[in-house]
């Protein structure tokens, strides 16, 4: 399989970033609390609902790569992924500031991966719109 379209490449990078996000810590706990809990970094596995949400996002983005033959469905799946990515960012903030108020976010780690993944998905959606407009212009010429 050869990736020939920009949106496929962007979606593939977004899937890779979501997989990396699932394996990296996204917050740290101060040393005093870490001594009690035995944990100094918070991974995705520590919040199971958040982990399931991000795995669903990665799967939807991966499925979206292979929907290139049906551009409208690919755009729909990508838009659902974008909405879920925004929900994931809100959930991350909720976990950090309400659920674990003493935890501090790792901005150059996990949180940035989510933001970059969201930006890549938005650009992929934009490129899908360009392809759809191009196909419609070819239909007008026939």
């Amino acid at each position: 399989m050869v990736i020939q379209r920009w949106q496929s490449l962007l979606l593939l990078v977004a899937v890779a970033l979501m997989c990396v996000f699932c394996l990296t810590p996204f917050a740290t706990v101060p040393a005093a609390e870490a001594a009690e809990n035995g944990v100094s970094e918070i991974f995705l596995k520590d919040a199971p609902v958040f982990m399931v949400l991000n795995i669903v996002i990665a799967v939807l983005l991966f499925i979206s790569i292979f929907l290139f033959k049906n551009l409208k469905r690919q755009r729909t799946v990508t838009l659902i992924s974008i909405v879920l990515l925004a929900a994931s960012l809100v959930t991350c903030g909720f976990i950090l500031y309400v659920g674990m108020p003493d935890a501090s976010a790792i901005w150059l780690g996990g949180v940035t991966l989510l933001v970059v993944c969201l930006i890549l998905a938005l650009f992929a959606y934009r490129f899908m719109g360009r392809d759809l407009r191009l196909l419609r212009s070819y239909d007008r010429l026939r």
Side-chain angles (χ1 to χ4, degrees):
M1 179 180 99
V2 177
I3 296 180
Q4 297 179 350
R5 297 166 54 216
W6 279 107
Q7 56 265 32
S8 298
L9 181 65
L10 292 173
L11 289 171
L12 184 65
V13 172
V15 168
L17 289 178
M18 286 304 294
C19 292
V20 169
F21 176 70
C22 289
L23 301 173
T24 59
F26 65 93
T28 57
V29 178
E33 260 189 55
E36 292 175 10
N37 299 338
V39 177
S40 63
E41 294 179 333
I42 300 170
F43 286 89
L44 218 55
K45 66 180 180 180
D46 298 327
V49 175
F50 191 45
M51 182 176 73
V52 169
L53 175 65
N54 287 305
I55 290 173
V56 167
I57 292 168
V59 168
L60 283 175
L61 288 171
F62 187 71
I63 289 171
S64 180
I65 293 171
F66 297 104
L67 293 175
F68 59 89
K69 289 185 180 180
N70 190 346
L71 193 57
K72 289 182 182 179
R73 184 171 292 147
Q74 185 182 29
R75 286 188 72 188
T76 303
V77 171
T78 305
L79 185 62
I80 291 169
S81 300
I82 290 170
V83 169
L84 288 175
L85 270 165
S88 179
L89 280 168
V90 170
T91 305
C92 183
F94 183 77
I95 287 172
L96 290 176
Y97 295 112
V98 176
M100 301 173 190
D102 294 335
S104 60
I106 301 175
W107 291 105
L108 295 177
V111 178
T112 305
L113 291 175
L114 274 179
V115 172
V116 171
C117 186
L118 178 65
I119 291 170
L120 289 173
L122 285 170
F123 276 119
Y125 187 78
R126 183 176 177 204
F127 281 122
M128 286 176 216
R130 284 186 183 174
D131 278 358
L132 192 60
R133 284 192 300 273
L134 183 66
L135 287 173
R136 285 183 184 157
S137 72
Y138 285 150
D139 286 341
R140 283 193 300 266
L141 291 175
R142 283 191 224 177

